Amino acid sequence: MTEQLLRVMNFCVSRDGIACGPGEDQSLEEPFGLPRPERLFSWAGATASWPNRTDPGGSRGLDDYFTRDFPRNIGAEIMGRNKFGPQRGPWQDHDWQGWWGDEPPFRTPVFVMTHHSRPSFTLSDTTFHFVEGDPKTVLEQAKEAAQGQDVRLGGGVTTVRQFLDADLVDTLHVAVAPVELGSGLRLWDSPDELEDRFNHEAVPSASGVVHHLYWRR
Amino acid sequence: MTEQLLRVMNFCVSRDGIACGPGEDQSLEEPFGLPRPERLFSWAGATASWPNRTDPGGSRGLDDYFTRDFPRNIGAEIMGRNKFGPQRGPWQDHDWQGWWGDEPPFRTPVFVMTHHSRPSFTLSDTTFHFVEGDPKTVLEQAKEAAQGQDVRLGGGVTTVRQFLDADLVDTLHVAVAPVELGSGLRLWDSPDELEDRFNHEAVPSASGVVHHLYWRR
């Protein structure tokens, strides 16, 4: 099977479908433009396979199957510029190298979608490329770089919506956290609204999160 | 984290805890000593990542996370002789090479526990070794062969019980199928009976199976 999938993985939203604050609220201090974004992510941080885990331990129940799946058969990631950093408009300089320190968890080529060109750079096993183009074109580039493996669509929410609107997404895993945020950028009004195109399973976890799984009909 | 786990994965039992027929019912025609053993396994065969899948397609919901996890970070398997074949007593010849054809799905060293010695042999990426020893000793051999990766405890049920009794198992995933079998070899009287030593989550799947996940306290 040489089918290459575009996969949304471990994408976290609130019960009211919100993934981050309004774009203008994003800052160096608040990458998600939200106070206490760990309310959306803490389920992942509690697992044994969380990529940023430094101490031993962590749960090995249902939630861990999702965090341990993160690198499996993934050969490239696509992300929007607002996932990469808080800057807007032309790059003032090239000092900013993402939120992830010297060892980004991607360990593949990463394609950052932006209208503002910038040279590629490498940190450990991850190389960031800055690309302009419509979703279809960027996906073709990423698939080629992935050399037969799948491509992860990393977000943010605007980028996920863009690829969903272009019908380019093959599978989605969205973790809905037990919190209401009220305002911000929304993935959806309801988890059911993708059912016209996708099979859908909703799987409640002991952590309080509900994992929503979608794959093409 | 260099911790090497011993993991029971995708182990299938009935609602009344039965994994196979009584040992004497095993035969070439009925490897599980059960009529229609697919009643226990069909959930796995329906998934996109089932190792024996030859046609495209298959589900990518919850059940697929379990079948796709099968090879992840596994460097060796341990199995009982009755999983390897229906013979009992000394090997009459060495013609029998397991149930799995020329491409066994293990793709690692496999340690078959038996009191009857036999030379190792290799089929594609899988090498079968025949070893005598208590569970602890065999686990040490398998861990060394796994070179830092985890070891899968493949079964059958008597072998899983033996390693559980020796307290050597670190994680278990047991899929309970919606069928009652009445008689045969039992993994347990109740899924709760491992809770003294293990954390336990029970996760119902849309397929009708309930996935029971255990990891050490």
Side-chain angles (χ1 to χ4, degrees):
Chain A
M1 293 194 295
T2 53
E3 187 188 13
Q4 274 184 293
L5 304 176
L6 181 63
R7 302 172 61 199
V8 175
M9 303 170 74
N10 298 301
F11 195 77
C12 300
V13 305
S14 65
R15 204 139 50 190
D16 47 349
I18 293 165
C20 63
E24 63 271 20
D25 285 3
Q26 191 188 39
S27 67
L28 260 183
E29 294 71 33
E30 293 195 347
F32 291 88
L34 282 175
R36 298 194 296 120
E38 68 277 9
R39 290 179 290 171
L40 298 180
F41 309 118
S42 57
W43 69 271
T47 65
S49 304
W50 174 236
N52 302 329
R53 172 173 289 282
T54 49
D55 54 328
S59 67
R60 296 184 188 275
L62 175 64
D63 292 348
D64 195 56
Y65 280 82
F66 295 101
T67 52
R68 76 172 75 148
D69 196 53
F70 181 78
R72 197 197 61 88
N73 196 41
I74 292 291
E77 162 145 342
I78 296 169
M79 66 172 67
R81 186 200 183 166
N82 292 5
K83 175 169 170 176
F84 178 73
Q87 305 82 4
R88 301 292 183 267
W91 303 99
Q92 303 299 322
D93 57 55
H94 297 159
D95 293 348
W96 178 259
Q97 299 198 306
W99 309 95
W100 303 280
D102 295 339
E103 293 269 356
F106 309 106
R107 304 182 182 284
T108 65
V110 172
F111 293 84
V112 181
M113 296 175 76
T114 169
H115 299 297
H116 304 284
S117 65
R118 179 175 160 168
S120 301
F121 68 90
T122 297
L123 285 176
S124 183
D125 302 327
T126 301
T127 298
F128 291 91
H129 302 291
F130 298 83
V131 294
E132 185 163 13
D134 59 23
K136 188 160 175 293
T137 308
V138 173
L139 178 56
E140 279 162 14
Q141 280 181 281
K143 280 191 171 172
E144 191 176 335
Q147 298 184 42
Q149 293 193 294
D150 294 338
V151 175
R152 188 193 303 112
L153 181 59
V157 62
T158 308
T159 305
V160 173
R161 286 286 356 159
Q162 216 180 342
F163 280 77
L164 278 173
D165 292 346
D167 198 21
L168 294 171
V169 178
D170 296 301
T171 71
L172 293 92
H173 160 229
V174 180
V176 175
V179 56
E180 306 265 340
L181 291 177
S183 70
L185 299 188
R186 245 172 241 276
L187 175 63
W188 55 37
D189 288 322
S190 153
D192 300 341
E193 72 188 36
L194 299 175
E195 291 182 358
D196 56 336
R197 288 183 280 159
F198 292 98
N199 297 286
H200 175 206
E201 288 180 12
V203 185
S205 170
S207 62
V209 166
V210 180
H211 297 285
H212 289 266
L213 309 176
Y214 303 86
W215 68 104
R216 274 186 193 283
R217 288 192 177 281
Chain B
M1 291 194 296
T2 54
E3 187 187 11
Q4 274 184 293
L5 304 176
L6 180 63
R7 301 172 60 198
V8 175
M9 304 170 74
N10 298 300
F11 195 77
C12 300
V13 304
S14 65
R15 206 140 47 190
D16 45 352
I18 292 165
C20 63
E24 63 273 19
D25 285 4
Q26 191 188 38
S27 67
L28 260 182
E29 295 70 35
E30 292 196 347
F32 291 90
L34 281 176
R36 298 195 294 119
E38 67 276 10
R39 291 179 289 171
L40 297 180
F41 309 118
S42 56
W43 69 269
T47 64
S49 305
W50 174 234
N52 301 330
R53 172 172 290 282
T54 49
D55 54 326
S59 67
R60 297 184 187 276
L62 175 64
D63 291 349
D64 195 56
Y65 279 83
F66 295 101
T67 53
R68 78 171 74 146
D69 195 53
F70 181 78
R72 196 196 62 88
N73 196 42
I74 293 291
E77 162 145 342
I78 296 168
M79 65 171 68
R81 187 199 181 167
N82 293 4
K83 174 168 172 178
F84 177 73
Q87 304 82 5
R88 301 291 183 270
W91 303 99
Q92 303 297 321
D93 57 52
H94 297 160
D95 293 348
W96 178 260
Q97 298 197 308
W99 310 93
W100 302 280
D102 294 339
E103 293 269 357
F106 310 106
R107 303 181 184 285
T108 64
V110 172
F111 293 84
V112 180
M113 294 174 76
T114 168
H115 299 298
H116 303 284
S117 66
R118 179 176 161 169
S120 301
F121 69 91
T122 299
L123 287 175
S124 182
D125 302 326
T126 302
T127 298
F128 292 91
H129 301 290
F130 298 84
V131 293
E132 186 164 12
D134 60 21
K136 188 161 176 291
T137 307
V138 173
L139 179 56
E140 278 163 14
Q141 280 180 280
K143 281 191 172 172
E144 191 176 336
Q147 297 182 43
Q149 293 192 295
D150 293 339
V151 175
R152 188 193 302 111
L153 181 59
V157 62
T158 308
T159 305
V160 173
R161 285 288 354 161
Q162 215 180 343
F163 280 78
L164 278 173
D165 292 345
D167 198 22
L168 294 171
V169 177
D170 297 301
T171 72
L172 293 92
H173 160 228
V174 180
V176 175
V179 57
E180 305 265 339
L181 292 178
S183 70
L185 298 189
R186 247 170 240 278
L187 176 63
W188 55 37
D189 288 320
S190 153
D192 300 341
E193 72 188 36
L194 298 175
E195 290 182 358
D196 55 336
R197 286 184 280 160
F198 293 98
N199 297 284
H200 175 207
E201 289 180 11
V203 186
S205 169
S207 62
V209 165
V210 179
H211 297 285
H212 289 266
L213 309 175
Y214 303 86
W215 69 103
R216 273 187 193 284
R217 289 192 178 281

